[in-house]
Amino acid sequence: MKFGKLTDISRVDFSLPNLAERSTALLAKERPEQPAVYIGCTGWAMKEWVGRYYPPKTAPKDYFKAYAAQFNGIELNSTHYQLPKVELLERWREESPQNFRFSPKLGQNISHAADLGINLGLGPSFAERMQELGPRLGWGFMQLPPHFGPAKLPLLEQFLKQYPQSLFPICIEARQASIFADPAARKDYFDLLQHYKVGTCITDVAGRRDVLHLELTAPLLMLRFVGNGLLPSDYQRVDAWIEKIMSLQSQGLKEFYLFLHEPDNLLAPDICQYMAEQLAKKTDWSIKIPQPYQDPQLQLF
């Protein structure tokens, strides 16, 4: 993921912000209970994972089945570029365990269209197609383009009025800096999402600390964490997130979608494993922990 990437992170303040007042008020209505925690990467077609996280000699056609055996969530970016055929969605559903969740990214013909696909009803059509994933369908997300600023919020409201949130719930990820820099625009944006019971997709990346806002508009956390090649700061940041996640759960948050990126995603399973292990150590929650193969002859990436 190139968004917000920096070549020099030495001066970045990676500390996490406090929970927004909106989030505190939202969680005050909830009661703490065993949460659903989905930890995963952003794809599975990685030959470099064969012999480490996939069984040796795993064929490309079996990569997803091998992925689903290790992780219980996926940030499904392929749906942004092409709407999957029914048969493919059915196969993914059948090849994944019951506790696995897909988080599809809405198509670019919706999020990047001048009218957000409203005139053709593309949002409802996308939501309907995703129903083929059955109970494996989790919360998805729509990533707005960088030029989508405060002036276009009325268009976003038109989209949300049409979108079937109860059928396929989504979060929104905004990237236009002015949405976060202007207090009035920021309030309007988050008010709009909360009114339509749409979540916020929060991104933790070095070069754009403004999109790390902890403004929750629905009772879940969808986090896109962007690491920097497994530097010590990556692990320190994960540790900070674990404390934040535990705090959110104690206040009543029930669902966590935690998607971890690393450069080229070759190292993403390693940081996923670390987060899962640390959460399992510090809580009594049901956490799926990836288990890499221990082959002393295997060369790392």
Side-chain angles (χ1 to χ4, degrees):
M1 188 166 97
K2 296 181 180 179
F3 173 72
K5 291 290 288 183
L6 295 178
T7 55
D8 180 6
I9 64 170
S10 61
R11 298 184 179 181
V12 176
D13 179 2
F14 282 113
S15 60
L16 299 182
N18 294 325
L19 198 62
E21 290 183 11
R22 172 192 310 277
S23 307
T24 303
L26 179 73
L27 294 178
K29 303 174 184 178
E30 307 293 331
R31 296 183 61 183
E33 59 184 49
Q34 177 82 215
V37 181
Y38 306 105
I39 301 175
C41 307
T42 64
W44 58 76
M46 305 293 286
K47 65 180 181 180
E48 292 86 354
W49 296 354
V50 175
R52 288 210 66 222
Y53 285 89
Y54 297 168
K57 300 182 179 180
T58 299
K61 67 180 180 63
D62 295 321
Y63 282 177
F64 173 66
K65 189 182 296 185
Y67 177 91
Q70 289 279 29
F71 305 92
N72 69 345
I74 182 73
E75 180 186 307
L76 193 60
N77 285 301
S78 62
T79 52
H80 185 62
Y81 304 101
Q82 184 176 6
L83 187 64
K85 294 181 178 179
V86 169
E87 295 79 9
L88 182 58
L89 293 170
E90 290 176 341
R91 193 183 85 194
W92 289 344
R93 183 188 69 220
E94 293 168 359
E95 291 184 350
S96 54
Q98 289 185 352
N99 68 339
F100 190 92
R101 292 295 180 271
F102 293 87
S103 290
K105 184 177 180 180
L106 267 66
Q108 61 184 350
N109 62 335
I110 301 171
S111 60
H112 288 54
D115 68 342
L116 296 181
I118 294 170
N119 292 328
L120 296 177
L122 297 182
S125 295
F126 186 93
E128 186 64 37
R129 177 62 62 87
M130 293 303 109
Q131 299 309 296
E132 300 299 334
L133 291 171
R136 311 292 191 272
L137 180 62
W139 282 65
F141 70 105
M142 180 167 76
Q143 185 182 88
L144 297 173
H147 61 265
F148 200 100
K152 294 190 176 183
L153 290 182
L155 177 61
L156 180 59
E157 180 164 23
Q158 290 181 44
F159 172 82
L160 295 177
K161 283 181 179 179
Q162 183 190 74
Y163 185 79
Q165 178 72 1
S166 61
L167 184 67
F168 169 36
I170 59 169
C171 299
I172 305 289
E173 180 186 27
R175 294 187 164 188
Q176 171 56 251
S178 59
I179 286 180
F180 305 102
D182 180 350
R186 180 186 179 108
K187 183 178 185 303
D188 288 345
Y189 171 65
F190 289 117
D191 281 351
L192 178 61
L193 300 192
Q194 188 164 358
H195 177 75
Y196 287 95
K197 300 181 180 179
V198 170
T200 53
C201 184
I202 297 171
T203 301
D204 184 348
V205 63
R208 283 291 303 273
R209 305 310 287 166
D210 55 344
V211 296
L212 178 64
H213 47 70
L214 282 183
E215 294 262 11
L216 303 180
T217 54
L220 84 155
L221 172 68
M222 180 174 286
L223 170 66
R224 305 180 78 220
F225 175 97
V226 185
N228 297 289
L230 301 184
L231 294 176
S233 60
D234 285 1
Y235 294 98
Q236 294 162 5
R237 291 163 62 200
V238 167
D239 289 341
W241 268 112
I242 288 173
E243 295 301 318
K244 185 70 70 175
I245 288 165
M246 292 169 59
S247 174
L248 289 170
Q249 185 276 335
S250 70
Q251 295 177 68
L253 205 60
K254 298 177 175 62
E255 283 189 88
F256 296 90
Y257 293 82
L258 311 172
F259 302 123
L260 291 92
H261 302 235
E262 287 289 345
D264 298 321
N265 284 324
L266 296 183
L267 300 173
D270 299 75
I271 200 70
C272 285
Q273 181 195 16
Y274 179 78
M275 174 174 273
E277 286 180 340
Q278 296 304 308
L279 268 176
K281 286 180 181 178
K282 295 188 175 186
T283 70
D284 59 358
W285 306 346
S286 177
I287 304 293
K288 188 173 181 64
I289 304 175
Q291 299 294 335
Y293 291 89
Q294 302 299 319
D295 184 350
Q297 302 300 318
L298 189 68
Q299 295 293 318
L300 297 182
F301 301 138

